[in-house]
Amino acid sequence: MIVTGAGDGIGQAVAFALARQGATVGLLGRTLRKLERSYDQIVKTGGPKPALLPFNLETASAVEYEALHDALDREFGRVDGLAHIAGILGVLSPIDHYDVPTWCKVIHVNLTASFLLTRTLLPLLRRSEDATVVFTSSGVARRGRAYWGAYSVSKFGTEGLMQVLADESEQTRIRANSLNPGPVRTAMRLQAFPAEDRNRLVEPAAVTAPYLFLLGPEGRGLNGMTFD
Ligand code: NDP
């Protein structure tokens, strides 16, 4: 199982939960130090030895995507699941002031990189008996909200990418679904709502169950659906 954003927040909690269920997890993320901490925690708690996959979704070149594919192919020969959880908020700003480079970065990290990573891993997903791809959506993915700019638009796009992939599932034999975890106490949430009472928010561990459901055998037969 490949989990993006596995060094922090929801991605880390999902990686831990998968490992607890016995999955070998590929910990993909930007900051090696954080990934190593996730790795150590999984090993300490008796989970299967994970794979460390430091990978910057903002800057990765075609060569790096290919190298990632080749490394996973050599080490595991197949990928059973891909959980797209990494993401960035960008800024909260009205459209007429929205910083253009930030817009491009958010769309790239949250949407285009999910496409690139999915495309890269499709040959390995196809080798699985039951491959599943889960995208992380948001409350601003189905109805745009003022000031949420590129983040909101990237999540609309994520829903579209999921639907296109799901509709191609006859060819790909891969199920694809998306999930909006709702408000969770993470660095991103704090960035979006700095004045909020953090004690009212659930911890990342509280939202792992639906990810496990969609990534595991219970989610068989579900395709092209979006969950809150
Ligand atoms: P966090 O900020 O806690 O974690 C985001 C993760 O994405 C980090 O592990 C981060 O790595 C990784 N990441 C960011 N940029 C890159 C990059 N360029 N390359 C590789 N990895 C990167 O956020 P959350 O856990 O809150 O968010 C997880 C997902 O859930 C996101 O898709 C978000 O949109 C979605 N979501 C979150 C909600 C919430 O309330 N928290 C609500 C609805 C949706 P690093 O730490 O190394 O920077």
Side-chain angles (χ1 to χ4, degrees):
M1 292 279 170
I2 307 298
V3 178
T4 76
D8 211 340
I10 299 169
Q12 184 190 54
V14 169
F16 288 170
L18 284 166
R20 269 199 302 277
Q21 296 215 336
T24 302
V25 184
L27 304 169
L28 190 146
R30 174 169 53 178
T31 312
L32 179 59
R33 181 177 43 82
K34 290 186 178 183
L35 297 177
E36 285 171 341
R37 264 193 252 138
S38 298
Y39 180 102
D40 290 345
Q41 181 65 17
I42 288 173
V43 171
K44 205 171 89 187
T45 51
K49 193 164 133 312
L52 273 178
L53 306 172
F55 198 84
N56 191 330
L57 296 167
E58 183 187 337
T59 56
S61 63
V63 172
E64 286 171 82
Y65 277 96
E66 207 175 298
L68 177 69
H69 168 278
D70 293 350
L72 291 170
D73 189 15
R74 265 196 315 276
E75 184 77 17
F76 304 107
R78 68 167 209 276
V79 169
D80 292 323
L82 170 58
H84 292 287
I85 305 182
I88 53 173
L89 179 70
V91 290
L92 295 181
S93 160
I95 293 292
D96 56 349
H97 295 299
Y98 205 100
D99 178 62
V100 175
T102 303
W103 179 282
C104 296
K105 184 162 104 175
V106 172
I107 298 291
H108 188 82
V109 171
N110 291 3
L111 175 59
T112 309
S114 294
F115 151 69
L116 291 169
L117 188 60
T118 305
R119 182 183 189 277
T120 299
L121 298 185
L122 274 177
L124 299 177
L125 285 158
R126 273 194 205 106
R127 290 197 199 137
S128 172
E129 298 269 297
D130 177 32
T132 163
V133 182
V134 178
F135 295 88
T136 302
S137 187
S138 157
V140 292
R142 287 161 224 143
R143 180 159 187 87
R145 194 180 305 157
Y147 317 129
W148 283 75
Y151 179 84
S152 175
V153 172
S154 74
K155 295 295 184 178
F156 270 77
T158 297
E159 292 283 1
L161 173 60
M162 179 279 288
Q163 288 180 18
V164 171
L165 182 67
D167 203 40
E168 291 172 4
S169 75
E170 285 289 293
Q171 284 80 41
T172 62
R173 284 195 292 118
I174 292 159
R175 55 188 158 100
N177 296 282
S178 70
L179 187 57
N180 165 25
V184 183
R185 193 190 309 174
T186 65
M188 183 189 285
R189 179 76 192 185
L190 179 64
Q191 187 192 346
F193 298 94
E196 178 177 49
D197 178 2
R198 304 201 83 207
N199 295 322
R200 297 168 73 101
L201 295 171
V202 300
E203 294 284 355
V207 298
T208 58
Y211 280 98
L212 261 57
F213 176 80
L214 289 173
L215 289 168
E218 288 173 322
R220 265 187 202 149
L222 296 176
N223 188 40
M225 298 183 67
T226 183
F227 297 87
D228 283 296

